[in-house]
Amino acid sequence: MGRWAPSSNRAQGDVSRVEAPVTLRGYLLCVFAAFGGILFGYDSGYISGVLAMSYFKQEFGHANSTDDNAYNGYMYATWQKSLITSILSCGTFFGALFAGSLADWIGRRTTIIAGCFVFSAGVILQVASTTVALLVPGRLIAGIGVGFVSAIIILYMSEVAPKAVRGAIVSGYQFFITIGLLLASVVDQGTHSRMDTSSYRIPMAIQWVWALVLGTGLFLLPESPRYHVKNDHLEKAAEALSILRGQPVDSTYIKDELAELVANYQYEMNNMQSSWIDCFRGGWKPSGNFRRVMLGIAMQMMQQWTGVNFIFYYGTTFFQQVGLKNAFVISMITTAVNVASTPISFWTVEKLGRRALLIYGAIGMLVCEFIIAIVGTADAGSQAANYCLIIFTCFYIFFFASTWGPAAWVVIGEIFPLPIRAKGVALSTASNWLWNFVIGEITPYMVDSDEGNLKSKVFFVWGATCTLCVFFAYFFVPETKGLSLEQVDRMLEETTPRTSASWVPHDTFADESTRHAIGVMANKAALTTRAEHHEEKV
Ligand code: BGC
């Protein structure tokens, strides 16, 4: 591999040929899918700004409101605000689960493209809306599309990426989430003072641009070779691999990698089926499906319990509540820190590994959270406490963005065996949205002045849940860096999470007869491709 790509330093035993080396073009093809993160970030981000716009309150609200935040007496009801915000998570939850079946049925790439279409339909309804009654179905339908995209992009990227840079490539997805969040606040900021429908229609319509770019781009990318293997379309798998790795179909590299995919799939299928029920079989042993699915679901749940969305969803109002003057600017700064810190993980996720990143990242976050809580409680309202809040919130976001943000997505793309991978990733992604929703709903009850009014003490809660994240990562998360997805299966069979980092691949799944059969098939595929090219030229 060239020097442009970070690579894992995991020892490879004598099995280094289970994957072809990758060209720069192949690498860029895999990176493109990360763009899908924009949909996730922008969609979760844009609505809070729109809800605060004066024109939006006038258009969607009712007159004679006594709410402090009303515009000229116009305001929407609290239940409407909560519905408009949370209906997206509801759509994404069900969208992600449904996509788990669809991706095995029509393919990973096709499911993402379908997600872009569904999303676009939701965007049209949102842009057309002038009442809550149309906006809510628009957000629901767009949410279903985001659910398709957010679950299956992780699956697709994990399956097409070369193993040495898979973590870095999937972290790219998180990077685009952060860019989406930032763009949403910039666009909201740019249009919020307009006093016509363009104030909210522009931020809504811009969502469509991301879907267009993603859908069109994916149209040009190959389907996941592992999906073709699952459907026994080996020639198509060889062609897809050859495009992704930038190697000829009949090269030894492609034949060896494909032989490994096929042999592993056959091995896994001897042990399991691929229905939803099968996701919950296999008991508590580290390689059992049940354990892996629970790990994925808990991974995404714990990512939400780091408390990060408290800052992104409620940061502005919280900063105001504790008496900070530039609450809006501080929120923009935290969003910018989020973007700027994520690329660090492109390198660390491969060098230090997923496990170390999750353990040390959670320790970093909990230290920041407890400092904010202790100083904010002991010296509430002082300038020192305010500076402490701002500085340690930035450090906290730095730790999240460079560790748990990306690593949680990387891990769920890697831990499932092919027969249940689509469903496992879908269940884990649905868990992200479910907990995103639950935490979003309960947080106001902890901090609102007429409710729990916890002020900085709320960081004791996040510090405590982050402490659980450390234990979770230490006891349950295996180290998957530098292994092919097939080697991860073997590693899980032979190690525990705590011994996983030192595991060295020692065996391949493919035996001589599989390699021979794949070799013959790949030669045939290469001849067919050449003949087709020849015919085209003639
Ligand atoms: C999380 C989101 C969060 C975002 C912040 C993602 O990995 O799943 O809930 O808002 O990171 O960058």
Side-chain angles (χ1 to χ4, degrees):
M1 188 166 308
R3 284 177 48 199
W4 41 268
S7 75
S8 147
N9 51 358
R10 187 163 197 140
Q12 282 299 316
D14 58 352
V15 294
S16 53
R17 287 262 306 267
V18 294
E19 188 179 272
V22 65
T23 60
L24 178 59
R25 183 171 162 273
Y27 181 71
L28 292 177
L29 283 181
C30 299
V31 167
F32 174 79
F35 182 82
I38 282 219
L39 252 72
F40 182 135
Y42 188 90
D43 244 49
S44 13
Y46 93 87
I47 198 70
S48 65
V50 164
L51 286 168
M53 289 176 184
S54 303
Y55 187 81
F56 183 85
K57 290 176 187 169
Q58 182 177 306
E59 182 84 12
F60 287 74
H62 52 82
N64 305 324
S65 167
T66 52
D67 193 309
D68 288 349
N69 288 320
Y71 171 72
N72 279 345
Y74 280 93
M75 191 63 185
Y76 39 77
T78 305
W79 68 265
Q80 290 178 316
K81 172 180 171 177
S82 147
L83 185 63
I84 293 169
T85 311
S86 55
I87 197 74
L88 182 88
S89 323
C90 179
T92 46
F93 176 81
F94 290 108
L97 286 183
F98 182 54
S101 290
L102 210 55
D104 278 343
W105 185 34
I106 61 172
R108 282 73 167 122
R109 195 184 65 126
T110 322
T111 304
I112 303 171
I113 297 173
C116 292
F117 275 107
V118 176
F119 178 78
S120 303
V123 171
I124 292 172
L125 295 186
Q126 289 176 47
V127 174
S129 67
T130 50
T131 59
V132 175
L134 190 56
L135 178 58
V136 168
R139 295 263 299 162
L140 177 70
I141 294 171
I144 295 174
V146 178
F148 277 34
V149 172
S150 59
I152 307 306
I153 287 259
I154 294 293
L155 174 68
Y156 178 77
M157 293 180 85
S158 307
E159 288 193 343
V160 300
K163 65 178 185 209
V165 289
R166 190 179 56 236
I169 286 179
V170 177
S171 299
Y173 171 76
Q174 171 70 14
F175 185 49
F176 277 104
I177 294 182
T178 64
I179 293 180
L181 279 165
L182 181 66
L183 285 176
S185 57
V186 170
V187 172
D188 282 351
Q189 173 63 6
T191 66
H192 81 277
S193 50
R194 289 168 169 262
M195 281 313 287
D196 54 37
T197 59
S198 66
S199 57
Y200 68 88
R201 282 189 166 143
I202 293 175
M204 285 174 182
I206 286 178
Q207 303 177 88
W208 188 70
V209 177
W210 318 135
L212 184 71
V213 174
L214 181 67
T216 317
L218 273 173
F219 208 71
L220 306 171
L221 292 187
E223 178 52 90
S224 157
R226 286 170 165 98
Y227 166 73
H228 287 315
V229 167
K230 196 167 182 296
N231 287 295
D232 206 21
H233 294 151
L234 299 189
E235 290 194 13
K236 287 186 183 166
E239 278 157 24
L241 259 186
S242 134
I243 298 171
L244 289 164
R245 302 290 181 258
Q247 306 283 342
V249 171
D250 52 354
S251 66
T252 317
Y253 284 124
I254 298 299
K255 289 179 194 167
D256 280 355
E257 187 172 349
L258 187 57
E260 192 60 11
L261 300 192
V262 171
N264 170 267
Y265 184 62
Q266 284 163 353
Y267 170 82
E268 295 291 4
M269 282 308 278
N270 288 336
N271 297 326
M272 71 182 86
Q273 297 300 310
S274 57
S275 71
W276 285 102
I277 296 285
D278 295 305
C279 295
F280 297 95
R281 289 194 213 276
W284 200 238
K285 59 177 192 312
S287 60
N289 284 357
F290 179 74
R291 167 86 171 252
R292 299 200 209 188
V293 167
M294 285 302 133
L295 173 62
I297 291 177
M299 182 86 240
Q300 291 294 333
M301 176 181 88
M302 296 313 284
Q303 194 217 39
Q304 292 300 308
W305 277 114
T306 58
V308 67
N309 285 325
F310 175 69
I311 305 294
F312 292 127
Y313 295 173
Y314 296 103
T316 317
T317 39
F318 177 74
F319 295 139
Q320 276 167 352
Q321 204 197 2
V322 296
L324 292 178
K325 283 198 205 77
N326 299 321
F328 185 79
V329 177
I330 300 167
S331 278
M332 290 279 275
I333 294 174
T334 57
T335 319
V337 171
N338 194 27
V339 177
S341 317
T342 306
I344 299 170
S345 69
F346 298 170
W347 189 77
T348 49
V349 78
E350 302 299 0
K351 287 292 165 195
L352 306 179
R354 292 54 164 154
R355 208 177 127 76
L357 224 54
L358 291 168
I359 295 172
Y360 293 115
I363 294 176
M365 285 190 278
L366 77 90
V367 169
C368 297
E369 289 167 327
F370 280 126
I371 291 178
I372 297 174
I374 293 167
V375 177
T377 310
D379 202 5
S382 71
Q383 206 179 23
N386 286 349
Y387 279 132
C388 171
L389 173 63
I390 299 170
I391 292 169
F392 282 95
T393 301
C394 289
F395 276 124
Y396 163 72
I397 296 295
F398 162 82
F399 280 117
F400 175 84
S402 55
T403 64
W404 275 76
W409 295 108
V410 174
V411 169
I412 65 160
E414 300 180 327
I415 52 173
F416 301 108
L418 181 53
I420 61 150
R421 187 172 298 136
K423 298 185 175 77
V425 176
L427 283 164
S428 313
T429 309
S431 159
N432 175 292
W433 289 107
L434 177 72
W435 288 101
N436 190 319
F437 170 74
V438 170
I439 294 174
E441 286 296 301
I442 60 178
T443 303
Y445 294 99
M446 295 198 277
V447 289
D448 280 4
S449 50
D450 49 351
E451 301 282 350
N453 199 17
L454 283 182
K455 296 226 166 73
S456 297
K457 289 194 206 74
V458 73
F459 281 93
F460 281 120
V461 176
W462 307 130
T465 50
C466 242
T467 309
L468 294 179
C469 291
V470 179
F471 288 112
F472 168 74
Y474 182 77
F475 286 109
F476 295 112
V477 181
E479 182 51 71
T480 45
K481 79 165 179 186
L483 301 176
S484 72
L485 297 179
E486 291 65 34
Q487 289 168 342
V488 169
D489 284 347
R490 202 33 69 88
M491 178 271 286
L492 288 177
E493 280 167 14
E494 297 177 3
T495 65
T496 64
R498 278 180 286 166
T499 55
S500 56
S502 52
W503 186 82
V504 176
H506 49 78
D507 216 353
T508 55
F509 283 93
D511 55 18
E512 273 319 307
S513 66
T514 318
R515 286 211 185 89
H516 178 74
I518 295 293
V520 173
M521 188 280 308
N523 291 341
K524 238 174 67 195
L527 284 178
T528 321
T529 318
R530 278 179 208 133
E532 277 167 7
H533 282 172
H534 182 70
E535 266 174 29
E536 270 167 26
K537 274 191 197 153
V538 175

